[in-house]
Amino acid sequence: MCSQGGEGYRLLKEYASGFMVSQVLFAACELGVFELLAAAPEPLDSAAVSARLGASPRGTELLLAACVSLKLLQVDVSGGKAVYANTELASTYLVRGSPRSQRDMLMYTGRTTYVCWGHLAEAVREGRNQYLKAFGIPSEELFSAIYRSEGERLQFLQGLQDVWRLEGARVLAAFDLSPFRVICDLGGGSGALAQVCVSLYPGCRVIVFDIPAVVQMARTHFPASEDERISFHEGDFFKDPLPEADLYILARVLHDWTDAKCSHLLERLYQACRTGGGILVVESLLDADGRGPLTTVLYSLNMLVQTEGCERTPAQYRALLAPAGFRDVRCRRAGGTYDAILAKK
């Protein structure tokens, strides 16, 4: 039997308050706490932080204390009053402009993903995403819901910049892609992964294929559009002609869609792919039994509340790739959140 002070009860309390931890992180990012402290020439007390952020003194003091407990901030009381500075964790991952910053993806998670997760029970009952309940937006056209405004589209693309800044080199180096001279990144967004690709494989050329609104935003807001080795092509990969390439990259794409839509897309890619070419699928892979790793299991629930798809096991991806015609399917854990699957035509 679990006592009140036992491990089971401790875990229960930790799980139940997990949303509070997330909201401390999201709120501090949204308010600009970490940017303010990064720019300050010396640590600041709570009153100074409150004044510069235009936030209430009481609320600021409570938020800063929580950030200290979470090791996001450090506090120094040696001078007679508490002054705050960023920890290494915050300086590395939470300050915009840091080469490893994850701030934009956290902002997207806090403003969109978190809201959808408030309807998880309904998603489980209904078996579908929750954009209608969360934002009053129908999701028959999935990416019309995901990109529900110009600002939301930009936030999502900036978030993906954060993801591939840390994960891109790992997944693209899982296999030697140097034999593939022309690469097409389907659903490649801002060109963030394409930039990593041409950095790792200088001899390649990358075509980023995405819907017109995304391509236009990429050309306006993101540096990949200035690299002569990267070009952008507008279209819908379910119905429009696909650029001919030696390798197609599907990074965080198949997990958005049902098996039927994935099969349709893979069949189209097989027809477009040059003989001897292939496909690189980049996804967070479930264990063979589908019950781990925990992060990927949670991502799969996130696909339920936000998309039409799910995360899959290596065997499930093989079952999608083989009927489309792809062979020599190899799966590799890349050592991070995302893994790589390479298959040949």
Side-chain angles (χ1 to χ4, degrees):
M1 179 180 293
C2 292
S3 67
Q4 182 172 333
E7 176 67 8
Y9 183 71
R10 186 196 66 78
L11 276 175
L12 182 65
K13 298 296 287 183
E14 182 180 317
Y15 295 163
S17 62
F19 75 96
M20 299 180 192
V21 174
S22 299
Q23 283 291 25
V24 168
L25 179 59
F26 300 152
C29 285
E30 182 171 333
L31 290 166
V33 170
F34 307 113
E35 270 82 15
L36 172 64
L37 294 174
E42 58 187 10
L44 300 177
D45 64 16
S46 179
V49 174
S50 168
R52 296 186 195 186
L53 294 181
S56 72
R58 178 170 175 267
T60 301
E61 187 172 3
L62 292 171
L63 182 64
L64 295 178
C67 286
V68 171
S69 291
L70 293 173
K71 298 181 172 56
L72 303 176
L73 297 180
Q74 54 192 347
V75 62
D76 180 1
V77 296
S78 61
K81 65 177 179 178
V83 292
Y84 298 87
N86 288 332
T87 60
E88 184 179 355
L89 185 159
S91 296
T92 302
Y93 296 112
L94 301 178
V95 176
R96 179 178 279 139
S98 163
R100 299 176 69 80
S101 177
Q102 297 296 293
R103 181 184 182 278
D104 286 315
M105 183 49 84
L106 288 169
M107 292 290 287
Y108 172 79
T109 303
R111 291 173 177 174
T112 297
T113 305
Y114 187 89
V115 179
C116 289
W117 273 72
H119 302 278
L120 176 60
E122 292 99 318
V124 171
R125 288 190 195 101
E126 299 167 4
R128 62 186 180 207
N129 69 62
Q130 295 297 303
Y131 280 101
L132 189 60
K133 288 190 177 69
F135 302 108
I137 297 172
S139 58
E140 286 76 13
E141 292 293 329
L142 179 60
F143 273 82
S144 294
I146 291 176
Y147 297 146
R148 64 185 187 275
S149 68
E150 286 281 311
E152 182 73 4
R153 181 162 57 244
L154 181 59
Q155 184 74 69
F156 184 75
L157 294 177
Q158 288 171 330
L160 288 181
Q161 292 272 126
D162 288 355
V163 170
W164 299 131
R165 188 181 290 126
L166 293 191
E167 303 273 359
R170 262 196 294 254
V171 294
L172 293 180
F175 299 97
D176 179 13
L177 305 181
S178 60
F180 303 107
R181 311 302 286 179
V182 179
I183 297 173
C184 181
D185 184 8
L186 288 165
S190 66
L193 193 59
Q195 282 186 291
V196 179
C197 194
V198 297
S199 176
L200 280 176
Y201 304 104
C204 79
R205 178 168 63 87
V206 181
I207 305 163
V208 177
F209 187 96
D210 216 314
I211 60 175
V214 168
V215 170
Q216 291 157 21
M217 184 165 278
R219 287 174 173 151
T220 303
H221 293 279
F222 296 98
S225 61
E226 300 169 5
D227 192 316
E228 62 183 13
R229 296 167 296 175
I230 299 172
S231 60
F232 287 80
H233 191 111
E234 298 179 6
D236 179 333
F237 51 52
F238 283 120
K239 60 185 181 183
D240 291 328
L242 299 172
E244 189 178 358
D246 300 309
L247 179 74
Y248 293 91
I249 296 177
L250 288 172
R252 289 179 37 132
V253 169
L254 295 181
H255 73 173
D256 289 335
W257 305 105
T258 63
D259 284 357
K261 286 188 177 179
C262 289
S263 295
H264 172 64
L265 176 56
L266 292 171
E267 288 165 6
R268 298 193 79 229
L269 288 178
Y270 186 82
Q271 294 303 316
C273 188
R274 293 170 179 166
T275 301
I279 182 172
L280 182 75
V281 175
V282 177
E283 296 286 3
S284 187
L285 292 176
L286 286 166
D287 293 338
D289 64 6
R291 289 186 283 276
L294 174 59
T295 296
T296 310
V297 172
L298 294 174
Y299 281 4
S300 206
L301 272 176
N302 190 55
M303 294 301 101
L304 174 66
V305 299
Q306 283 200 265
T307 75
E308 299 176 8
C310 60
E311 307 298 349
R312 296 176 172 92
T313 67
Q316 288 170 325
Y317 279 113
R318 290 176 190 275
L320 290 172
L321 288 160
F326 290 102
R327 57 181 176 79
D328 188 23
V329 180
R330 291 178 288 163
C331 302
R332 286 199 181 152
R333 299 282 183 179
T337 306
Y338 296 97
D339 307 298
I341 302 170
L342 182 67
K344 299 285 188 67
K345 177 174 179 177

